[in-house]
Each structure stands twice: as C-alpha cells, then as structure tokens.
Amino acid sequence: MAFLHQVSAWAVPMMIVLIPLYAAFRKVPVYESFVDGAKEGFGTAVGIIPHLVGMMTAISMFRASGAMDALVQAVRPLFEKFGVPGDVLPLGLLRPITGAGSLAYATDLIKTHGADSLAARIAATIQGSTDTTLYVLTVYFGAVGIRNARYALKVGLFSDAVGFFAAVAVCLLLF
C-alpha cells in the first residue's frame, strides 16, 4: 500500500518532467508546440461558448418552469412501489444534463440522509454509472462542428437510463 501511495504521489510530477525531456530529446520545440496548442484550445473554447450558453439556458428554463418537479412527482409513486427512494429521481433527470448540478444534488442527498443510507448509495452509484450526455454532446460535437447528433443523443440517453436502472437495481439487491 505504501508503494502504491508513493507511485501515485510521484506520477504527475514525473510526467511533467519526462514529457518535455522526451520532446527535447526528439528535437520537438516544446514551448512553441505548447503555445500553438494553447492557441488552438482557445479557439475551440470560443467556438463552443454559444453551444454552452444555449444548453445552460435550456437547463435553467427546464428547472425554473417546474417541469422537472412535475415530472418527478408524476413518476414518484411508481418508483416507490418498487422500493426506489423518490429522492433519487431528480438525479436521474439531472445527471444527463449537468455534471455539477447532479453532483451538488447527490452531495445534498448524502448530507440529508447520511452516507450509509440507501438513497446516498444509489445516488453515488448513479453518479458513477451514468454520464452527462447532453453536456458531452454539446461540447464535443460543438467543438468539431457536428450539427446532427440525433443518433448519438438517443444512444446516450438510453445508456443513461440503463445506467440509472442498473444502479438502482444493484443497490436494492446489495443493500
């Protein structure tokens, strides 16, 4: 265990030292390559800002309109019949949309119910079993200029639903 701790403590500093040394050995202009990459990254960041603003606006409208709360209240009785705590349902809706929002909600669930509660365990498992599909599609597809993401969206949201239900099922079976 001590060896593993030492390796993990030194991994990043060693990479920071070894990568530029290797590049210098290969006669790659390290600083110039870094600056060129930073310029390209800045252009990419500027290019995806409209996509991010649009997504954040849609998320804010969805939550502020009460649509998320109405949807959660509509399906809560069905889920609670199967033993799923109703408090984790908003996480299933938030996670594909926003990583920071879903993490904040999961953290609040853990603080409210305790780390060893069923709701907290399900929330943590959902966080690890699903992805921020809409954010990923917005950022990555926006960065490379892909306009038609319908198949990727369908597959991503389906995968998130499978991840949500699998996380719930595993936690109900194990805990």
Side-chain angles (χ1 to χ4, degrees):
M1 190 67 151
F3 172 73
L4 198 54
H5 179 70
Q6 288 298 320
V7 168
S8 64
W10 283 97
V12 172
M14 291 302 294
M15 285 186 355
I16 291 172
V17 170
L18 292 177
I19 290 173
L21 285 176
Y22 179 73
F25 175 75
R26 301 274 312 218
K27 305 222 186 312
V28 173
V30 177
Y31 183 74
E32 291 80 5
S33 297
F34 173 77
V35 170
D36 289 342
K39 284 179 190 176
E40 186 177 320
F42 185 75
T44 300
V46 169
I48 66 171
I49 286 174
H51 301 282
L52 288 173
V53 169
M55 184 190 67
M56 297 307 287
T57 302
I59 291 167
S60 297
M61 290 171 55
F62 178 65
R63 293 185 71 192
S65 71
M68 185 176 83
D69 294 331
L71 184 59
V72 167
Q73 291 306 321
V75 297
R76 182 183 296 259
L78 175 67
F79 279 81
E80 287 180 346
K81 282 184 181 181
F82 294 105
V84 180
D87 292 341
V88 300
L89 296 178
L91 187 59
L93 293 174
L94 283 174
R95 183 68 177 146
I97 299 171
T98 170
S102 65
L103 181 60
Y105 188 82
T107 302
D108 187 50
L109 273 177
I110 292 168
K111 286 179 183 175
T112 302
H113 297 285
D116 289 334
S117 68
L118 180 61
R121 290 177 176 182
I122 291 174
T125 308
I126 290 169
Q127 283 291 108
S129 303
T130 58
D131 200 0
T132 54
T133 300
L134 296 178
Y135 178 80
V136 167
L137 290 178
T138 300
V139 171
Y140 296 119
F141 282 26
V144 296
I146 295 174
R147 299 279 182 232
N148 188 359
R150 70 173 178 234
Y151 296 117
L153 178 64
K154 290 175 187 174
V155 169
L157 292 177
F158 179 73
S159 299
D160 287 332
V162 169
F164 175 83
F165 289 115
V168 170
V170 166
C171 288
L172 289 175
L173 286 172
L174 294 178
F175 306 112

